[in-house]
Amino acid sequence: MMSGMHTETCDPAELSRLRAIFASHPDASPPAGWDAVRSFEVEHGVVLPEPYRTCVAEVGDGLRAGPPYYGLLPLAEVPSDWGADRPQRLLAEPFPLEKAWLWEVEDDETALPVEEFEARTDRVFDHGSLLLGTDGCGMYWHLIVTGPQRGHVWQIAGEGAMPFGPESPDAVMPGTSGFTGWASHWAEGRSWFPDA
């Protein structure tokens, strides 16, 4: 299980790092402002984790250069390839995972019945997380906004779901956990996976 993070107050050093990342990209979207952030939070019944919350309000609400590959999405958007027939996203419902789940590698003995599998994976994709963007090919990055993983960034794809950061039990994607760690990892030009 991953350790908790300080997601209620914005660390000035993290915000400074995010300001530097956004300032280095002239294609950064302007900040959304506090009214837009609070309106989004009321609409979805959540309080966004820091420092993402302050970043969107005061630094920038999206970055075409990334992260991820196809850009950091503005607050209320989903990637164009997300699909119109997906279930409703319920940000106030807790994100259901606390450790990586690679469902593609499950064997027949541990595999769930189809209906149960689809219900469980739908919750992974649609509960308790905000979409940050996509690397394409169905690989989406989510900021967890509700539940024990609040503040962590996860990659969720057709093969499974895994957290970014060293607290991951299997350390598939080493780095510094949280939005600032994830954005910094990208800004430094590092691969998400150590062997890539």
Side-chain angles (χ1 to χ4, degrees):
M1 183 168 148
M2 296 175 144
S3 63
M5 324 180 101
H6 298 289
T7 60
E8 304 310 313
T9 58
C10 187
D11 179 331
E14 288 190 51
L15 189 59
S16 177
R17 177 67 178 136
L18 291 169
R19 286 186 194 285
I21 291 169
F22 276 72
S24 68
H25 294 280
D27 63 343
S29 298
W34 283 108
D35 288 343
V37 168
R38 290 183 185 112
S39 176
F40 179 89
E41 291 174 332
V42 167
E43 177 184 347
H44 293 281
V46 298
V47 174
L48 297 171
E50 292 291 358
Y52 176 80
R53 183 177 195 249
T54 299
C55 180
V56 169
E58 297 182 3
V59 178
D61 184 22
L63 187 60
R64 282 191 298 257
Y69 185 79
Y70 288 100
L72 179 64
L73 291 169
L75 178 59
E77 291 188 17
V78 296
S80 60
D81 65 347
W82 185 247
D85 60 342
R86 295 212 37 88
Q88 179 183 2
R89 295 190 48 71
L90 302 172
L91 276 61
E93 291 291 322
F95 181 70
L97 300 179
E98 292 189 32
K99 63 180 184 173
W101 178 28
L102 301 176
W103 50 77
E104 187 176 76
V105 298
E106 290 184 345
D107 59 29
D108 290 337
E109 291 181 20
T110 59
L112 300 169
V114 172
E115 297 81 17
E116 188 178 340
F117 172 78
E118 288 177 353
R120 189 169 175 202
T121 56
D122 282 350
R123 287 190 300 271
V124 171
F125 277 96
D126 295 314
H127 287 191
S129 68
L130 177 78
L131 281 156
L132 295 174
T134 180
D135 279 329
C137 299
M139 294 183 293
Y140 301 100
W141 290 95
H142 296 243
L143 174 65
I144 309 307
V145 299
T146 317
Q149 294 298 301
R150 178 176 155 79
H152 291 274
V153 175
W154 282 59
Q155 185 188 70
I156 305 174
E159 300 77 25
M162 64 188 85
F164 172 80
E167 290 96 0
S168 169
D170 45 19
V172 175
M173 290 189 285
T176 302
S177 294
F179 181 71
T180 304
W182 177 74
S184 296
H185 194 91
W186 167 81
E188 293 163 7
R190 297 166 56 198
S191 171
W192 300 121
F193 300 95
D195 59 351

